[in-house]
Amino acid sequence: MGKSSDTRYIFSTGDLYQKDFSIVFRKEDGNFYLPIKDTRELYCFNEITLSTKLLQLLAKVGIVVHFFGYYENYIGTFYPKEQLLSGRLTVAQALAYEQNRLKIAGPIVKGIAKNIHFVLYHYYRHGKSELKDYLDWLRKDVSRLADAVGDIKQLLRIEGEIWARFYQTFRLILPESFAMNKRVKRPPDNPINALISFGNTLLYTKTITEIYHTHLNQTISFLHEPAERRFSLSLDLSEVFKPVLVYKTIFDCVNNRKITVEKHFDKKLNYALLNEIGRKTFIEAFEERLNQTFEHQTLKRRCSYKQAIRLDGYKLIKHILEGKNFVPFCMEDKK
Amino acid sequence: MLTGTVVNYYTHCQRQCWLFYHNLNLEDNSEDVRIGKVLHELKKQGKEEIALDGIKLDKLTAEYVTEIKKSDADLAAAKAQLEFYLVVLHDKGIIRKGRLECLEKNKQSKSVHTLMLTEGEIEERKVQYRQIEEFLNRELPPPPIRKPICKKCAYYEYCFI
Ligand code: SF4
């Protein structure tokens, strides 16, 4: 499935246009050719000019483009029109939302707990015994609680508690300069919040691209309200990957001093945002994790974490269309 | 409505046939297929196809209708597809023989296969096509069956996840 890396990140300003069968990026110090064959996804982190003619080409070949503003804020996605569509699936997806929302949302919440458990267990084994209560709760209680809920609101309360207690563990795992008291979303007001927001947005956009390559309708979601964002299904499917892709990357970067407050955050903005080197460093570490492979236990094939996101899309289709139980990606089971 | 591809897939794998018919087409996943499609789109001019009633013919001459396949990997499926063309043409009063050309021969000793259908066989095929249509109207696809062909199938991940 695909190449190890078919994502291009653009950090400088410049023009994007089509020449013959290539995408050309013209910036101050020269032209860069992006072969269409190896490109599936573009990230633009700066001011880019592009033409309708290029968009037409991107649409034809199904290249998704994500745009970010100067302050790392996500602006939106160019979502090519020529996507895979199946009338039968769309109808079934809407019915599943109407009739069986908890059958999909419940496993997502349980999946979050399992994957957080996986990530934190590592620290527990290395001497952080204070984690025990939370780990036990994740392992023994969450599943039972999630199975007992009668509506989505109760389920969301459990999810909220999982994350809140997770954030409280940061003071045990991270150096003081990064530990946080509360999670602030927009705008992030300290380094750790900046990393979380940036990481979550990257994962969200990755998920948009993966879902683009399935037949799922991006607007019909199950855990999140369908109206929450235009691609709210991506919010749903990215949730279980946050611990293993976003948080694990953050912990590794911070604890191995690949990212430090002094060097990688914007001093002018009171260290509340990554600077350009910080952003590049984080993206590199994040991409590396995404492209890491493991032996998939059901498929008996090697598979990258990025592919695992798409595979969760397939699981969802299979649940919706054929009634197979939906169990999102679990780091421990490798499936 | 049936098409040549659907008949081909029905012979190849019924599950694939059902999924494909309902537009759950995962073929685009393969990088080669995607690029092939792109190039095809970008330089559309060139070879013309004759298209009518669910069939797209590679070539139609006074004697033969010709179908060109990349390889002879599933000859039975390719033949079923060609027979479908013969039946559709027959209903329009166009009587032809079928000619199947395989660009790569891996499994068979020859690369060109010809075939003909008698009136009786044509009637039999029509009964079979009605059965395929009923099959396609089922609520659910048949479950996957592990076969050697699954390994290379675009649906592998979907089928066995
Ligand atoms: S993977 Fe196997 S069962 Fe599934 S559609 Fe392909 S050939 Fe059929």
Side-chain angles (χ1 to χ4, degrees), chain B residues 13 15-16 19 144-145 147 149-150 153 155-156 159-160:
Chain B
C13 166
R15 181 170 164 87
Q16 183 183 28
L19 293 169
I145 309 166
K147 299 173 261 202
I149 52 165
C150 294
C153 177
Y155 289 101
Y156 176 86
C159 282
F160 297 106

Side-chain angles (χ1 to χ4, degrees), chain A residues 118-135:
Chain A
F118 183 90
V119 170
L120 286 184
Y121 192 74
H122 166 85
Y123 294 93
Y124 174 69
R125 249 189 17 208
H126 286 87
K128 304 288 179 196
S129 51
E130 298 103 307
L131 291 168
K132 182 148 197 333
D133 276 354
Y134 178 47
L135 287 176

Side-chain angles (χ1 to χ4, degrees), chain A residues 24-42:
Chain A
V24 185
F25 180 51
R26 181 173 45 211
K27 58 176 195 166
E28 265 178 23
D29 48 349
N31 286 354
F32 290 82
Y33 285 80
L34 314 177
I36 293 176
K37 196 162 75 63
D38 304 330
T39 309
R40 218 164 58 109
E41 193 183 17
L42 286 174

Side-chain angles (χ1 to χ4, degrees), chain A residues 305-317:
Chain A
Y305 291 105
K306 186 158 82 181
Q307 288 162 5
I309 303 176
R310 165 115 52 113
L311 293 176
D312 269 11
Y314 288 169
K315 287 178 196 166
L316 187 56
I317 296 177

Side-chain angles (χ1 to χ4, degrees), chain A residues 48-323:
Chain A
I48 301 289
T49 355
L50 40 76
S51 64
T52 336
K53 192 170 165 229
L54 178 72
L55 291 179
Q56 264 167 4
L57 173 76
L58 298 177
K60 266 213 179 93
V61 298
I63 294 177
V64 175
V65 194
H66 309 292
F67 295 97
F68 288 75
Y70 184 69
Y71 293 113
E72 285 150 34
N73 49 312
Y74 170 62
I75 297 175
T77 296
F78 171 67
Y79 197 73
K81 198 179 106 215
E82 286 182 26
Q83 51 171 314
L84 307 166
L85 278 179
S86 162
R88 183 176 278 249
L89 179 66
T90 309
V91 171
Q93 194 182 341
L95 281 176
Y97 169 79
E98 278 287 309
Q99 297 165 358
N100 246 333
R101 214 174 148 180
L102 286 174
K103 274 215 144 150
I104 296 163
I108 293 176
V109 171
K110 290 195 251 177
I112 300 169
K114 278 191 187 158
N115 287 335
I116 290 183
H117 186 282
F118 183 90
V119 170
L120 286 184
Y121 192 74
H122 166 85
Y123 294 93
Y124 174 69
R125 249 189 17 208
H126 286 87
K128 304 288 179 196
S129 51
E130 298 103 307
L131 291 168
K132 182 148 197 333
D133 276 354
Y134 178 47
L135 287 176
D136 286 346
W137 182 76
L138 287 174
R139 174 140 252 163
K140 296 190 192 121
D141 299 311
V142 168
S143 178
R144 186 177 41 81
L145 292 169
D147 284 338
V149 300
D151 62 35
I152 204 83
K153 278 214 186 80
Q154 293 171 324
L155 188 66
L156 287 171
R157 239 174 274 136
I158 300 171
E159 192 213 353
E161 190 178 345
I162 295 175
W163 289 119
R165 292 181 68 171
F166 179 53
Y167 301 141
Q168 281 166 21
T169 67
F170 287 12
R171 63 187 167 77
L172 300 171
I173 302 170
L174 295 177
E176 184 135 16
S177 51
F178 278 97
M180 72 168 174
N181 315 320
K182 59 181 194 312
R183 170 98 179 88
V184 180
K185 280 190 185 157
R186 258 162 293 192
D189 73 342
N190 64 33
I192 188 70
N193 276 321
L195 282 173
I196 295 173
S197 293
F198 190 55
N200 282 347
T201 307
L202 284 181
L203 177 62
Y204 168 65
T205 50
K206 284 284 162 197
T207 311
I208 290 174
T209 306
E210 290 311 313
I211 298 181
Y212 173 78
H213 292 278
T214 74
H215 302 75
L216 289 164
N217 184 314
Q218 297 261 12
T219 63
I220 306 174
S221 53
F222 300 88
L223 180 63
H224 297 84
E225 287 305 324
E228 195 167 327
R229 281 197 222 160
R230 204 153 91 75
F231 303 110
S232 41
L233 185 62
S234 287
L235 293 176
D236 278 11
L237 290 192
S238 64
E239 214 62 63
V240 304
F241 289 95
K242 280 181 185 171
V244 291
L245 295 180
V246 177
Y247 289 97
K248 199 106 180 48
T249 306
I250 294 176
F251 296 166
D252 288 348
C253 282
V254 169
N255 287 332
N256 296 320
R257 297 190 59 80
K258 275 189 243 166
I259 288 188
T260 63
V261 173
E262 303 75 42
K263 280 201 205 115
H264 299 99
F265 289 83
D266 198 331
K267 202 191 274 178
K268 288 197 300 284
L269 294 162
N270 211 12
Y271 305 103
L273 276 182
L274 283 157
N275 62 23
E276 193 176 322
I277 313 171
R279 229 178 292 160
K280 282 185 182 165
T281 311
F282 186 81
I283 285 176
E284 205 176 298
F286 181 68
E287 275 286 323
E288 204 176 298
R289 273 203 86 67
L290 275 174
N291 290 316
Q292 231 172 41
T293 62
F294 60 93
E295 182 74 19
H296 194 286
Q297 291 307 300
T298 326
L299 293 178
K300 311 285 179 211
R301 275 185 185 182
R302 285 207 82 75
C303 160
S304 70
Y305 291 105
K306 186 158 82 181
Q307 288 162 5
I309 303 176
R310 165 115 52 113
L311 293 176
D312 269 11
Y314 288 169
K315 287 178 196 166
L316 187 56
I317 296 177
K318 221 161 161 176
H319 169 71
I320 290 169
L321 209 64
E322 304 183 54

